[in-house]
Amino acid sequence: MPLTILLVDDEPLVRAGLRAVLEAQPDIEVVGEAADGAAVIPLVRQLRPDVIAMDVRMPLMDGIEATRAVLRTVPDPPKIVVVTTFENDDYVYGALRAGADGFLLKRARPAEIVHAVRLVAEGDSLLFPAAVRQLAASFGQDHGNTEARTAMERAALTGREGEVLRLMARGLSNAEIAARLVVGTETVKSHVSSVLAKLGARDRTQAVIAAYESGFVSPG
């Protein structure tokens, strides 16, 4: 089965470029397009894409609100990659906090676009961890507060779960974490699942943001 993608961007040239790059891959299919976040929900329900490539700035409904709407209303929602012009942008951080799984620069090379979509679909490592750290350093302190610290304390992560979360924040994949901790990959998957459940996080991106905003992990 091909990996299916929905493109959401108010610029037709951007959508055309992304479609050309992605459909050059034999295992990727673009199943639909939308010019605004307001059109996303019915398309997702109709097409059931695996991944949405979502522009962060759109005139009627931006990528932040569209991401919230998808995650709030669609059962078993697709992965969401925010597509943006500037990586160090509070809109991008807002989209990640809203539940997006990662972000992609519009100026990225074709191979980077394909890699990003596949990585987010697989979900076992953090997309562009250095950039996420930079965003957390720039905007995380504005959002992080006592509530975030309290939530982390209530999660009561074990020592090993804390180690796994710190390595996730550095961008290591499950296999890389397993090698670092000298345990099996399935053991790491179990720890990751436990961390996500305890933090109430949809995926590792949300868990890492929670770790930064609570002060559990330092962006530096």
Side-chain angles (χ1 to χ4, degrees):
M1 294 289 292
L3 180 62
T4 56
I5 315 294
L6 173 64
L7 304 178
V8 184
D9 196 295
D10 62 336
E11 298 182 31
L13 286 177
V14 172
R15 298 200 307 272
L18 288 172
R19 178 182 282 273
V21 167
L22 294 170
E23 290 202 327
Q25 304 300 310
D27 61 334
I28 296 179
E29 178 185 0
V30 175
V31 293
E33 297 184 16
D36 194 85
V40 169
I41 297 298
L43 284 175
V44 169
R45 288 175 171 159
Q46 174 189 352
L47 302 172
R48 303 301 303 174
D50 298 310
V51 177
I52 303 173
M54 180 97 74
D55 188 14
V56 72
R57 295 175 184 263
M58 292 177 285
L60 297 179
M61 179 184 287
D62 65 27
I64 299 174
E65 186 54 40
T67 294
R68 289 196 187 104
V70 169
L71 300 182
R72 185 174 61 243
T73 63
V74 177
D76 191 21
K79 301 288 187 177
I80 299 174
V81 181
V82 171
V83 183
T84 180
T85 303
F86 306 105
E87 65 266 43
N88 195 18
D89 186 329
D90 59 346
Y91 271 76
V92 176
Y93 195 70
L96 295 177
R97 292 187 84 247
D101 302 279
F103 70 91
L104 177 65
L105 294 177
K106 291 185 179 182
R107 64 177 182 271
R109 297 190 299 269
E112 292 174 328
I113 294 171
V114 172
H115 173 70
V117 167
R118 286 185 173 140
L119 194 63
V120 164
E122 292 165 1
D124 76 343
S125 59
L126 188 67
L127 182 58
F128 304 139
V132 172
R133 283 197 294 273
Q134 184 178 5
L135 284 167
S138 299
F139 305 110
Q141 296 306 310
D142 295 336
H143 298 284
N145 49 37
T146 302
E147 183 179 344
R149 290 191 292 274
T150 300
M152 183 62 69
E153 291 170 0
R154 287 177 177 170
L157 301 181
T158 66
R160 179 47 59 93
E161 289 167 351
E163 286 182 282
V164 169
L165 178 55
R166 290 187 177 93
L167 293 173
M168 286 165 58
R170 292 174 58 185
L172 273 65
S173 68
N174 289 348
E176 290 167 333
I177 294 173
R180 183 68 58 89
L181 298 181
V182 196
V183 297
T185 303
E186 291 302 317
T187 298
V188 172
K189 288 181 180 178
S190 177
H191 287 315
V192 171
S193 295
S194 181
V195 168
L196 298 186
K198 286 184 176 182
L199 293 177
R202 153 178 154 88
D203 56 27
R204 58 207 300 143
T205 300
Q206 309 311 308
V208 167
I209 287 175
Y212 285 132
E213 292 189 351
S214 66
F216 185 82
V217 174
S218 169

